[in-house]
Amino acid sequence: MTIGNIPPKKERKSKRTKPVDENAPLLPKRQEDAGFDEFNGASFTGAVFNLSTTIVGAGIMALPATMKVLGLVLGVAMIIFMAFLTEASIELLLRFSRAGKSASYGGLMGEAFGKTGRILLQAAVLVNNIGVLIVYMIIIGDVLSGTSSSGAHHTGVLEGWFGEHWWNARAFVLLITTLFIFSPLACFKRIDSLSYTSALSVALAVVFLVITVGITIVKLINGSIAMPRLMPDVTDMTSFWKLFTTVPVLVTAFICHYNVHSIDNELEDSAQIKPVVRTALALCSTVYIMTSIFGFLLFGDATLDDVLANFDMDLGIPYSSLLNDAVRVSYAAHLMLVFPIVFFPLRLNLDGLLFPSARPFHQANTRFALLTIGLIATIFLGANFIPSIWDAFQFTGATAAVCLGFIFPASITLRDRHNIATKRDKILCIFMIVLAVFSNAVAIYSDAYALIKRNPSHSE
């Protein structure tokens, strides 16, 4: 079903195709609405797991690299600050959704800014989610087949076990993963159907964290870890502007706004959505802080953009090889299970963008299948041609993610169609927009400057 904001028309009793109510929930809650199996609403725990899975995706792998730029003190402070800012922006979305009876983010944008707002929202979700899913595939390829994006080659798990063969080459491994894992999981039409895989994915993320913490503590005890840098190393203007390149990564790490309405619509008690959001953010922030601290402690200035790629070396402790493989495989499996949660709103928004007046999405099997195949193929190709997750995060984080997380919620509040925004809300929204625009403009400039310096003219 599309996610815009066209005023609903009266229902007809005819069995013919009904006009689409674009303010209706993304998926029906009752069996008689669409022929689904009986569904009485999602539980609080299932909603927390689904939202946590939306948040804790690939962003966590780049967070130790942000500590390398910001230092531990400023880096942890920025994670906490971003969590509170995310909670505030989601609270604004939910408050204005209730006031306007909008059942989707797109419906809310449509109510505030008309068709243009709805289309901007859908385009932002497409860019952000395609970018994020490409990052998932890149990381899975790094883990299983290795990576050379940093100049030196870091061996993948399959390479380490069996040596280099055609069947464990990156493209082939990603093709098999896409056909036999991503594709089946992407076929579910209701997000609550993924609650068990979400719970398993969170458990796998915790396994990754526990092993990383354990390794770091052992190395701290035997004195093989140097004191980490607590504050950023700013020596000139270039290093100062580089600090802002971490903002898109931090923004991307907390983006979950596009799934909040889907989860809210399926909750057994919609009043639980605010506690769901707070619980999920608290859980994810804890995981982020611990991963950032212990990942940076473990590898220091040798921390790569994708910290999983660091787990191919001798860690200097017993069973190093086994622990390396356990860390990498557990998180690769986590990302495989996160994939369908992020894919769900991507497909829904593309359908709303391309077929705004078509019949409900869950009833159109051919359309559902074609969109699924087209999107998965696009993501697969992107993962094979984009070299580094940092590059992908910089693009999506500095454009679509910052719009979804801060600029759109702030703009809706400042528009204030229902006259419910307080003075404090408006001050906060102006701050969010200024911070988002300035920091990401600087990040884009800094990245472009670094890219030019990294690739000087051949004539020099």
Side-chain angles (χ1 to χ4, degrees):
M1 187 173 287
T2 56
I3 65 168
N5 186 42
I6 297 174
K9 298 179 181 178
K10 294 181 179 179
E11 290 186 317
R12 297 176 183 173
K13 294 183 179 180
S14 169
K15 292 184 179 180
R16 295 178 183 177
T17 302
K18 299 178 182 179
V20 176
D21 174 6
E22 296 192 344
N23 267 333
L26 297 176
L27 291 173
K29 292 186 178 183
R30 297 184 302 278
Q31 183 180 4
E32 61 268 21
D33 286 339
F36 281 114
D37 294 333
E38 188 174 352
F39 177 60
N40 296 318
S43 67
F44 178 88
T45 304
V48 169
F49 279 133
N50 278 336
L51 192 58
S52 298
T53 302
T54 305
I55 299 170
V56 181
I60 191 174
M61 292 299 102
L63 288 178
T66 66
M67 299 298 112
K68 184 171 69 171
V69 177
L70 296 174
L72 280 181
V73 174
L74 184 57
V76 170
M78 283 297 296
I79 290 174
I80 295 171
F81 171 73
M82 202 61 68
F84 278 107
L85 208 58
T86 300
E87 195 274 334
S89 65
I90 292 175
E91 193 276 331
L92 291 172
L93 282 181
L94 291 171
R95 196 195 318 164
F96 278 84
S97 295
R98 297 286 190 266
K101 297 182 180 178
S102 297
S104 67
Y105 198 167
L108 188 57
M109 279 292 287
E111 180 188 42
F113 301 104
K115 184 179 179 181
T116 301
R118 176 177 60 81
I119 291 175
L120 283 174
L121 183 280
Q122 291 169 332
V125 172
L126 292 183
V127 172
N128 179 77
N129 290 28
I130 287 176
V132 167
L133 293 176
I134 285 173
V135 167
Y136 289 1
M137 277 204 189
I138 291 173
I139 291 178
I140 291 167
D142 290 350
V143 168
L144 299 179
S145 299
T147 178
S148 303
S149 63
S150 61
H153 182 71
H154 291 266
T155 305
V157 172
L158 295 179
E159 279 183 311
W161 291 349
F162 305 106
E164 290 189 37
H165 299 281
W166 65 268
W167 51 265
N168 61 21
R170 186 186 191 90
F172 187 77
V173 167
L174 288 180
L175 178 62
I176 295 300
T177 305
T178 299
L179 291 177
F180 295 102
I181 298 177
F182 294 149
S183 297
L185 289 174
C187 290
F188 289 105
K189 293 185 178 181
R190 196 176 67 225
I191 198 168
D192 188 63
S193 302
L194 299 167
S195 60
Y196 292 109
T197 58
S198 293
L200 179 57
S201 73
V202 172
L204 288 168
V206 172
V207 168
F208 157 78
L209 177 60
V210 168
I211 296 175
T212 303
V213 170
I215 293 169
T216 307
I217 290 174
V218 169
K219 296 196 72 176
L220 280 171
I221 291 172
N222 65 28
S224 58
I225 289 181
M227 181 66 182
R229 188 170 63 254
L230 298 180
M231 298 301 292
D233 183 18
V234 180
T235 56
D236 53 23
M237 286 304 295
T238 301
S239 58
F240 172 74
W241 294 123
K242 188 179 179 182
L243 299 178
F244 291 91
T245 63
T246 62
V247 174
V249 177
L250 290 165
V251 170
T252 304
F254 280 100
I255 289 299
C256 59
H257 304 62
Y258 52 80
N259 252 355
V260 170
H261 287 86
S262 299
I263 292 169
D264 183 23
N265 291 335
E266 295 187 6
L267 268 174
E268 188 175 8
D269 177 7
S270 62
Q272 292 181 323
I273 187 62
K274 288 185 181 180
V276 164
V277 170
R278 293 192 182 108
T279 304
L281 284 173
L283 173 64
C284 296
S285 298
T286 303
V287 171
Y288 280 173
I289 290 170
M290 293 184 69
T291 302
S292 301
I293 291 174
F294 287 100
F296 183 50
L297 275 174
L298 191 56
F299 300 111
D301 288 334
T303 304
L304 297 172
D305 295 343
D306 173 7
V307 74
L308 278 183
N310 283 107
F311 286 94
D312 71 333
M313 60 183 72
D314 184 3
L315 298 173
I317 62 173
Y319 307 106
S320 173
S321 178
L322 177 63
L323 291 172
N324 277 336
D325 290 347
V327 166
R328 292 190 289 174
V329 171
S330 66
Y331 210 82
H334 163 79
L335 291 181
M336 291 176 188
L337 298 176
V338 172
F339 189 96
I341 291 287
V342 179
F343 190 83
F344 183 89
L346 169 61
R347 179 177 51 208
L348 195 66
N349 279 272
L350 181 60
D351 180 68
L353 192 61
L354 298 180
F355 309 103
S357 300
R359 63 176 174 160
F361 190 43
H362 58 271
Q363 297 176 357
N365 291 331
T366 301
R367 199 166 86 237
F368 180 91
L370 290 175
L371 287 176
T372 300
I373 293 168
L375 284 171
I376 288 180
T378 300
I379 294 162
F380 172 77
L381 292 173
N384 280 281
F385 288 101
I386 296 175
S388 166
I389 70 169
W390 194 266
D391 296 329
F393 274 141
Q394 288 299 307
F395 176 72
T396 60
T399 53
V402 75
C403 289
L404 290 170
F406 302 115
I407 293 178
F408 289 167
S411 300
I412 290 167
T413 304
L414 293 174
R415 186 79 164 180
D416 197 14
R417 289 280 192 185
H418 304 283
N419 297 315
I420 59 173
T422 64
K423 184 178 180 181
R424 176 182 171 277
D425 292 333
K426 293 182 178 180
I427 292 172
L428 175 63
C429 290
I430 292 171
F431 170 75
M432 283 198 291
I433 290 175
V434 171
L435 177 67
V437 172
F438 173 74
S439 60
N440 284 278
V442 173
I444 291 171
Y445 167 78
S446 181
D447 281 333
Y449 181 73
L451 186 64
I452 292 170
K453 288 191 69 176
R454 202 163 59 225
N455 298 289
S457 172
H458 294 294
S459 62
E460 293 181 0

